[in-house]
Amino acid sequence: MNKTIVVIPSFNELKTLKMLLPKLQEKNINFVVIDDGSSDGTFNYLSKNYEKKSFIHHIDNKGYENAIYSGYEYAKKNRYGYLATFDGDFQHDISDLI
């Protein structure tokens, strides 16, 4: 198991997640999307297309900081050694993760 995980907080970013997540998979980058109460169908998309371990769903929007914290807790619980945060809106470049 790769000991690095990328935490992606997301609120109504379905359009860009559909482009971002396949690219992360192509590079074998572990990720967890924190769907922070999105109303754009993000949860349904993630549920249908990704394993449950790839996302966390907040029913209500708890805010960016709480989404990041959920990702930290997930990484700790699953014994990842390294964590990077990555915005779901392509603000960051995937090549920077490598």
Side-chain angles (χ1 to χ4, degrees):
M1 175 182 190
N2 184 336
K3 291 295 183 180
T4 301
I5 190 159
V6 176
V7 173
I8 306 167
S10 176
F11 180 69
N12 290 333
E13 294 176 348
L14 178 59
K15 184 177 180 179
T16 54
L17 287 175
K18 286 181 175 181
M19 294 182 286
L20 173 64
L21 300 182
K23 291 181 183 203
L24 293 174
Q25 285 183 309
E26 287 172 12
K27 305 243 184 238
N28 292 317
I29 297 173
N30 294 318
F31 63 86
V32 61
V33 176
I34 314 302
D35 173 23
D36 195 28
S38 298
S39 60
D40 64 352
T42 296
F43 176 67
N44 290 335
Y45 172 75
L46 294 171
S47 296
K48 290 178 183 174
N49 295 286
Y50 294 93
E51 295 179 43
K52 176 63 179 136
K53 68 179 184 174
S54 299
F55 61 93
I56 296 171
H57 177 61
H58 292 174
I59 294 171
D60 298 314
N61 182 273
K62 297 180 179 186
Y64 181 82
E65 292 80 10
N66 281 312
I68 293 289
Y69 183 77
S70 291
Y72 287 160
E73 288 295 310
Y74 176 88
K76 182 178 174 183
K77 176 182 173 186
N78 291 281
R79 298 180 175 243
Y80 284 94
Y82 301 96
L83 178 146
T85 60
F86 199 86
D87 287 347
D89 61 2
F90 280 107
Q91 182 176 352
H92 301 103
D93 193 313
I94 293 174
S95 65
D96 291 338
L97 290 171
I98 309 302

mmCIF file of all heavy atoms in Angstrom, residues 33-68:
data_model
loop_
_atom_site.group_PDB
_atom_site.id
_atom_site.type_symbol
_atom_site.label_atom_id
_atom_site.label_comp_id
_atom_site.label_asym_id
_atom_site.label_seq_id
_atom_site.Cartn_x
_atom_site.Cartn_y
_atom_site.Cartn_z
ATOM 1 N N VAL A 33 -11.981 11.935 -1.211
ATOM 2 C CA VAL A 33 -12.739 13.164 -1.442
ATOM 3 C C VAL A 33 -13.646 13.370 -0.236
ATOM 4 O O VAL A 33 -14.348 12.456 0.190
ATOM 5 C CB VAL A 33 -13.604 13.069 -2.715
ATOM 6 C CG1 VAL A 33 -14.467 14.318 -2.885
ATOM 7 C CG2 VAL A 33 -12.734 12.841 -3.937
ATOM 8 N N ILE A 34 -13.627 14.559 0.307
ATOM 9 C CA ILE A 34 -14.534 14.905 1.390
ATOM 10 C C ILE A 34 -15.661 15.729 0.767
ATOM 11 O O ILE A 34 -15.491 16.918 0.484
ATOM 12 C CB ILE A 34 -13.838 15.718 2.508
ATOM 13 C CG1 ILE A 34 -12.485 15.109 2.890
ATOM 14 C CG2 ILE A 34 -14.781 15.866 3.700
ATOM 15 C CD1 ILE A 34 -12.517 13.681 3.358
ATOM 16 N N ASP A 35 -16.786 15.083 0.514
ATOM 17 C CA ASP A 35 -17.954 15.771 -0.046
ATOM 18 C C ASP A 35 -18.635 16.500 1.106
ATOM 19 O O ASP A 35 -19.283 15.898 1.944
ATOM 20 C CB ASP A 35 -18.905 14.772 -0.690
ATOM 21 C CG ASP A 35 -20.209 15.412 -1.122
ATOM 22 O OD1 ASP A 35 -20.231 16.644 -1.335
ATOM 23 O OD2 ASP A 35 -21.209 14.693 -1.217
ATOM 24 N N ASP A 36 -18.471 17.801 1.136
ATOM 25 C CA ASP A 36 -18.923 18.607 2.271
ATOM 26 C C ASP A 36 -20.334 19.157 2.060
ATOM 27 O O ASP A 36 -20.548 20.363 1.988
ATOM 28 C CB ASP A 36 -17.926 19.742 2.525
ATOM 29 C CG ASP A 36 -18.124 20.394 3.872
ATOM 30 O OD1 ASP A 36 -18.610 19.725 4.805
ATOM 31 O OD2 ASP A 36 -17.790 21.592 4.000
ATOM 32 N N GLY A 37 -21.290 18.249 1.935
ATOM 33 C CA GLY A 37 -22.689 18.657 1.820
ATOM 34 C C GLY A 37 -23.066 19.218 0.467
ATOM 35 O O GLY A 37 -23.972 20.047 0.363
ATOM 36 N N SER A 38 -22.414 18.764 -0.570
ATOM 37 C CA SER A 38 -22.690 19.278 -1.921
ATOM 38 C C SER A 38 -24.131 18.998 -2.330
ATOM 39 O O SER A 38 -24.716 17.983 -1.956
ATOM 40 C CB SER A 38 -21.757 18.622 -2.940
ATOM 41 O OG SER A 38 -20.412 18.924 -2.661
ATOM 42 N N SER A 39 -24.663 19.896 -3.154
ATOM 43 C CA SER A 39 -26.029 19.728 -3.667
ATOM 44 C C SER A 39 -26.030 19.515 -5.182
ATOM 45 O O SER A 39 -27.079 19.581 -5.815
ATOM 46 C CB SER A 39 -26.878 20.955 -3.310
ATOM 47 O OG SER A 39 -26.308 22.125 -3.880
ATOM 48 N N ASP A 40 -24.852 19.248 -5.751
ATOM 49 C CA ASP A 40 -24.733 19.117 -7.202
ATOM 50 C C ASP A 40 -24.641 17.667 -7.688
ATOM 51 O O ASP A 40 -24.302 17.421 -8.841
ATOM 52 C CB ASP A 40 -23.514 19.901 -7.704
ATOM 53 C CG ASP A 40 -22.194 19.346 -7.177
ATOM 54 O OD1 ASP A 40 -22.213 18.440 -6.303
ATOM 55 O OD2 ASP A 40 -21.132 19.827 -7.624
ATOM 56 N N GLY A 41 -24.925 16.713 -6.822
ATOM 57 C CA GLY A 41 -24.873 15.311 -7.217
ATOM 58 C C GLY A 41 -23.530 14.648 -6.961
ATOM 59 O O GLY A 41 -23.308 13.512 -7.387
ATOM 60 N N THR A 42 -22.632 15.321 -6.273
ATOM 61 C CA THR A 42 -21.307 14.770 -5.994
ATOM 62 C C THR A 42 -21.397 13.421 -5.289
ATOM 63 O O THR A 42 -20.748 12.455 -5.698
ATOM 64 C CB THR A 42 -20.458 15.751 -5.157
ATOM 65 O OG1 THR A 42 -20.231 16.938 -5.922
ATOM 66 C CG2 THR A 42 -19.131 15.145 -4.755
ATOM 67 N N PHE A 43 -22.204 13.331 -4.245
ATOM 68 C CA PHE A 43 -22.307 12.078 -3.487
ATOM 69 C C PHE A 43 -22.790 10.936 -4.370
ATOM 70 O O PHE A 43 -22.236 9.833 -4.338
ATOM 71 C CB PHE A 43 -23.219 12.254 -2.272
ATOM 72 C CG PHE A 43 -23.432 10.976 -1.512
ATOM 73 C CD1 PHE A 43 -22.396 10.369 -0.830
ATOM 74 C CD2 PHE A 43 -24.675 10.363 -1.496
ATOM 75 C CE1 PHE A 43 -22.584 9.176 -0.135
ATOM 76 C CE2 PHE A 43 -24.880 9.179 -0.810
ATOM 77 C CZ PHE A 43 -23.831 8.584 -0.123
ATOM 78 N N ASN A 44 -23.804 11.173 -5.183
ATOM 79 C CA ASN A 44 -24.319 10.129 -6.079
ATOM 80 C C ASN A 44 -23.256 9.684 -7.075
ATOM 81 O O ASN A 44 -23.092 8.490 -7.337
ATOM 82 C CB ASN A 44 -25.567 10.605 -6.817
ATOM 83 C CG ASN A 44 -26.756 10.729 -5.897
ATOM 84 O OD1 ASN A 44 -26.833 10.065 -4.869
ATOM 85 N ND2 ASN A 44 -27.682 11.594 -6.257
ATOM 86 N N TYR A 45 -22.531 10.639 -7.633
ATOM 87 C CA TYR A 45 -21.464 10.318 -8.582
ATOM 88 C C TYR A 45 -20.384 9.471 -7.921
ATOM 89 O O TYR A 45 -19.961 8.451 -8.468
ATOM 90 C CB TYR A 45 -20.858 11.603 -9.155
ATOM 91 C CG TYR A 45 -19.635 11.353 -9.986
ATOM 92 C CD1 TYR A 45 -19.732 10.828 -11.267
ATOM 93 C CD2 TYR A 45 -18.361 11.625 -9.476
ATOM 94 C CE1 TYR A 45 -18.598 10.579 -12.030
ATOM 95 C CE2 TYR A 45 -17.224 11.375 -10.233
ATOM 96 C CZ TYR A 45 -17.349 10.860 -11.504
ATOM 97 O OH TYR A 45 -16.231 10.607 -12.247
ATOM 98 N N LEU A 46 -19.940 9.893 -6.744
ATOM 99 C CA LEU A 46 -18.887 9.153 -6.046
ATOM 100 C C LEU A 46 -19.370 7.754 -5.675
ATOM 101 O O LEU A 46 -18.634 6.779 -5.820
ATOM 102 C CB LEU A 46 -18.429 9.916 -4.802
ATOM 103 C CG LEU A 46 -17.714 11.243 -5.054
ATOM 104 C CD1 LEU A 46 -17.509 12.000 -3.748
ATOM 105 C CD2 LEU A 46 -16.386 11.020 -5.775
ATOM 106 N N SER A 47 -20.606 7.658 -5.212
ATOM 107 C CA SER A 47 -21.171 6.362 -4.811
ATOM 108 C C SER A 47 -21.225 5.378 -5.968
ATOM 109 O O SER A 47 -21.009 4.183 -5.782
ATOM 110 C CB SER A 47 -22.576 6.543 -4.241
ATOM 111 O OG SER A 47 -22.544 7.307 -3.075
ATOM 112 N N LYS A 48 -21.536 5.876 -7.147
ATOM 113 C CA LYS A 48 -21.687 5.010 -8.314
ATOM 114 C C LYS A 48 -20.361 4.656 -8.983
ATOM 115 O O LYS A 48 -20.272 3.634 -9.657
ATOM 116 C CB LYS A 48 -22.601 5.676 -9.344
ATOM 117 C CG LYS A 48 -24.041 5.741 -8.908
ATOM 118 C CD LYS A 48 -24.899 6.445 -9.929
ATOM 119 C CE LYS A 48 -26.332 6.567 -9.412
ATOM 120 N NZ LYS A 48 -27.170 7.375 -10.302
ATOM 121 N N ASN A 49 -19.354 5.502 -8.797
ATOM 122 C CA ASN A 49 -18.132 5.332 -9.577
ATOM 123 C C ASN A 49 -16.868 4.998 -8.786
ATOM 124 O O ASN A 49 -15.855 4.658 -9.388
ATOM 125 C CB ASN A 49 -17.873 6.599 -10.396
ATOM 126 C CG ASN A 49 -18.948 6.817 -11.423
ATOM 127 O OD1 ASN A 49 -18.992 6.109 -12.429
ATOM 128 N ND2 ASN A 49 -19.843 7.759 -11.182
ATOM 129 N N TYR A 50 -16.934 5.092 -7.467
ATOM 130 C CA TYR A 50 -15.735 4.878 -6.655
ATOM 131 C C TYR A 50 -16.049 4.035 -5.429
ATOM 132 O O TYR A 50 -17.175 4.029 -4.934
ATOM 133 C CB TYR A 50 -15.126 6.232 -6.233
ATOM 134 C CG TYR A 50 -14.610 6.988 -7.426
ATOM 135 C CD1 TYR A 50 -15.407 7.920 -8.080
ATOM 136 C CD2 TYR A 50 -13.344 6.729 -7.927
ATOM 137 C CE1 TYR A 50 -14.955 8.583 -9.209
ATOM 138 C CE2 TYR A 50 -12.884 7.394 -9.058
ATOM 139 C CZ TYR A 50 -13.678 8.311 -9.686
ATOM 140 O OH TYR A 50 -13.231 8.963 -10.812
ATOM 141 N N GLU A 51 -15.021 3.348 -4.948
ATOM 142 C CA GLU A 51 -15.172 2.562 -3.735
ATOM 143 C C GLU A 51 -15.461 3.479 -2.554
ATOM 144 O O GLU A 51 -14.995 4.618 -2.517
ATOM 145 C CB GLU A 51 -13.882 1.793 -3.440
ATOM 146 C CG GLU A 51 -13.528 0.752 -4.472
ATOM 147 C CD GLU A 51 -12.234 0.052 -4.119
ATOM 148 O OE1 GLU A 51 -12.050 -0.293 -2.935
ATOM 149 O OE2 GLU A 51 -11.414 -0.133 -5.021
ATOM 150 N N LYS A 52 -16.185 2.960 -1.588
ATOM 151 C CA LYS A 52 -16.554 3.745 -0.403
ATOM 152 C C LYS A 52 -15.327 4.332 0.298
ATOM 153 O O LYS A 52 -15.385 5.420 0.852
ATOM 154 C CB LYS A 52 -17.373 2.871 0.553
ATOM 155 C CG LYS A 52 -17.727 3.525 1.855
ATOM 156 C CD LYS A 52 -18.621 4.738 1.668
ATOM 157 C CE LYS A 52 -18.974 5.346 3.011
ATOM 158 N NZ LYS A 52 -18.873 6.787 3.028
ATOM 159 N N LYS A 53 -14.210 3.625 0.236
ATOM 160 C CA LYS A 53 -13.007 4.121 0.909
ATOM 161 C C LYS A 53 -12.419 5.359 0.216
ATOM 162 O O LYS A 53 -11.515 5.988 0.748
ATOM 163 C CB LYS A 53 -11.951 3.031 0.998
ATOM 164 C CG LYS A 53 -11.362 2.627 -0.328
ATOM 165 C CD LYS A 53 -10.311 1.557 -0.168
ATOM 166 C CE LYS A 53 -9.678 1.250 -1.517
ATOM 167 N NZ LYS A 53 -8.573 0.332 -1.391
ATOM 168 N N SER A 54 -12.946 5.729 -0.945
ATOM 169 C CA SER A 54 -12.427 6.865 -1.697
ATOM 170 C C SER A 54 -13.119 8.186 -1.381
ATOM 171 O O SER A 54 -12.742 9.212 -1.923
ATOM 172 C CB SER A 54 -12.553 6.607 -3.200
ATOM 173 O OG SER A 54 -11.815 5.485 -3.575
ATOM 174 N N PHE A 55 -14.144 8.139 -0.531
ATOM 175 C CA PHE A 55 -14.828 9.393 -0.222
ATOM 176 C C PHE A 55 -15.503 9.339 1.143
ATOM 177 O O PHE A 55 -15.799 8.279 1.665
ATOM 178 C CB PHE A 55 -15.857 9.751 -1.299
ATOM 179 C CG PHE A 55 -16.964 8.741 -1.458
ATOM 180 C CD1 PHE A 55 -18.149 8.891 -0.754
ATOM 181 C CD2 PHE A 55 -16.825 7.657 -2.303
ATOM 182 C CE1 PHE A 55 -19.172 7.967 -0.889
ATOM 183 C CE2 PHE A 55 -17.837 6.732 -2.455
ATOM 184 C CZ PHE A 55 -19.014 6.883 -1.739
ATOM 185 N N ILE A 56 -15.703 10.528 1.684
ATOM 186 C CA ILE A 56 -16.438 10.734 2.934
ATOM 187 C C ILE A 56 -17.534 11.734 2.614
ATOM 188 O O ILE A 56 -17.288 12.735 1.934
ATOM 189 C CB ILE A 56 -15.522 11.278 4.042
ATOM 190 C CG1 ILE A 56 -14.443 10.252 4.393
ATOM 191 C CG2 ILE A 56 -16.329 11.677 5.277
ATOM 192 C CD1 ILE A 56 -13.359 10.766 5.307
ATOM 193 N N HIS A 57 -18.716 11.460 3.090
ATOM 194 C CA HIS A 57 -19.856 12.332 2.791
ATOM 195 C C HIS A 57 -20.327 13.041 4.057
ATOM 196 O O HIS A 57 -20.706 12.391 5.026
ATOM 197 C CB HIS A 57 -20.997 11.492 2.215
ATOM 198 C CG HIS A 57 -22.247 12.257 1.938
ATOM 199 N ND1 HIS A 57 -22.301 13.294 1.046
ATOM 200 C CD2 HIS A 57 -23.495 12.126 2.434
ATOM 201 C CE1 HIS A 57 -23.525 13.765 1.004
ATOM 202 N NE2 HIS A 57 -24.266 13.074 1.839
ATOM 203 N N HIS A 58 -20.263 14.364 4.054
ATOM 204 C CA HIS A 58 -20.895 15.172 5.097
ATOM 205 C C HIS A 58 -22.296 15.507 4.592
ATOM 206 O O HIS A 58 -22.436 16.056 3.497
ATOM 207 C CB HIS A 58 -20.141 16.478 5.340
ATOM 208 C CG HIS A 58 -18.793 16.308 5.958
ATOM 209 N ND1 HIS A 58 -17.941 17.370 6.134
ATOM 210 C CD2 HIS A 58 -18.145 15.227 6.449
ATOM 211 C CE1 HIS A 58 -16.830 16.945 6.703
ATOM 212 N NE2 HIS A 58 -16.926 15.640 6.894
ATOM 213 N N ILE A 59 -23.309 15.180 5.356
ATOM 214 C CA ILE A 59 -24.680 15.468 4.938
ATOM 215 C C ILE A 59 -24.900 16.973 4.815
ATOM 216 O O ILE A 59 -25.513 17.452 3.867
ATOM 217 C CB ILE A 59 -25.691 14.834 5.907
ATOM 218 C CG1 ILE A 59 -25.585 13.306 5.828
ATOM 219 C CG2 ILE A 59 -27.108 15.293 5.595
ATOM 220 C CD1 ILE A 59 -26.371 12.559 6.873
ATOM 221 N N ASP A 60 -24.377 17.723 5.778
ATOM 222 C CA ASP A 60 -24.481 19.181 5.768
ATOM 223 C C ASP A 60 -23.108 19.784 5.525
ATOM 224 O O ASP A 60 -22.088 19.191 5.874
ATOM 225 C CB ASP A 60 -25.008 19.690 7.113
ATOM 226 C CG ASP A 60 -26.403 19.185 7.412
ATOM 227 O OD1 ASP A 60 -27.257 19.242 6.500
ATOM 228 O OD2 ASP A 60 -26.641 18.727 8.546
ATOM 229 N N ASN A 61 -23.079 20.979 4.966
ATOM 230 C CA ASN A 61 -21.830 21.685 4.761
ATOM 231 C C ASN A 61 -21.270 22.107 6.114
ATOM 232 O O ASN A 61 -21.912 22.841 6.849
ATOM 233 C CB ASN A 61 -22.061 22.903 3.862
ATOM 234 C CG ASN A 61 -20.784 23.642 3.594
ATOM 235 O OD1 ASN A 61 -20.390 24.498 4.362
ATOM 236 N ND2 ASN A 61 -20.139 23.310 2.507
ATOM 237 N N LYS A 62 -20.077 21.610 6.421
ATOM 238 C CA LYS A 62 -19.435 21.917 7.704
ATOM 239 C C LYS A 62 -18.290 22.906 7.549
ATOM 240 O O LYS A 62 -17.690 23.309 8.523
ATOM 241 C CB LYS A 62 -18.919 20.626 8.346
ATOM 242 C CG LYS A 62 -20.026 19.645 8.674
ATOM 243 C CD LYS A 62 -19.468 18.391 9.301
ATOM 244 C CE LYS A 62 -20.599 17.441 9.641
ATOM 245 N NZ LYS A 62 -20.123 16.269 10.389
ATOM 246 N N GLY A 63 -17.945 23.227 6.318
ATOM 247 C CA GLY A 63 -16.872 24.181 6.070
ATOM 248 C C GLY A 63 -15.565 23.501 5.694
ATOM 249 O O GLY A 63 -15.334 22.327 5.983
ATOM 250 N N TYR A 64 -14.719 24.274 5.052
ATOM 251 C CA TYR A 64 -13.441 23.786 4.528
ATOM 252 C C TYR A 64 -12.578 23.149 5.620
ATOM 253 O O TYR A 64 -12.049 22.055 5.431
ATOM 254 C CB TYR A 64 -12.705 24.954 3.872
ATOM 255 C CG TYR A 64 -11.384 24.582 3.264
ATOM 256 C CD1 TYR A 64 -11.333 24.011 2.001
ATOM 257 C CD2 TYR A 64 -10.186 24.815 3.937
ATOM 258 C CE1 TYR A 64 -10.118 23.661 1.425
ATOM 259 C CE2 TYR A 64 -8.970 24.476 3.373
ATOM 260 C CZ TYR A 64 -8.942 23.894 2.121
ATOM 261 O OH TYR A 64 -7.739 23.553 1.563
ATOM 262 N N GLU A 65 -12.440 23.832 6.740
ATOM 263 C CA GLU A 65 -11.570 23.324 7.802
ATOM 264 C C GLU A 65 -12.045 21.981 8.332
ATOM 265 O O GLU A 65 -11.240 21.081 8.585
ATOM 266 C CB GLU A 65 -11.452 24.336 8.943
ATOM 267 C CG GLU A 65 -10.708 25.599 8.579
ATOM 268 C CD GLU A 65 -11.558 26.612 7.813
ATOM 269 O OE1 GLU A 65 -12.800 26.426 7.714
ATOM 270 O OE2 GLU A 65 -10.979 27.580 7.287
ATOM 271 N N ASN A 66 -13.344 21.825 8.505
ATOM 272 C CA ASN A 66 -13.876 20.546 8.976
ATOM 273 C C ASN A 66 -13.711 19.447 7.932
ATOM 274 O O ASN A 66 -13.488 18.283 8.285
ATOM 275 C CB ASN A 66 -15.344 20.689 9.379
ATOM 276 C CG ASN A 66 -15.498 21.308 10.744
ATOM 277 O OD1 ASN A 66 -14.842 20.888 11.694
ATOM 278 N ND2 ASN A 66 -16.335 22.315 10.850
ATOM 279 N N ALA A 67 -13.805 19.801 6.672
ATOM 280 C CA ALA A 67 -13.580 18.813 5.619
ATOM 281 C C ALA A 67 -12.128 18.337 5.660
ATOM 282 O O ALA A 67 -11.856 17.133 5.589
ATOM 283 C CB ALA A 67 -13.920 19.399 4.249
ATOM 284 N N ILE A 68 -11.205 19.261 5.811
ATOM 285 C CA ILE A 68 -9.786 18.900 5.919
ATOM 286 C C ILE A 68 -9.564 18.019 7.146
ATOM 287 O O ILE A 68 -8.871 17.002 7.087
ATOM 288 C CB ILE A 68 -8.905 20.160 5.992
ATOM 289 C CG1 ILE A 68 -8.949 20.937 4.673
ATOM 290 C CG2 ILE A 68 -7.466 19.812 6.374
ATOM 291 C CD1 ILE A 68 -8.246 20.270 3.523
#
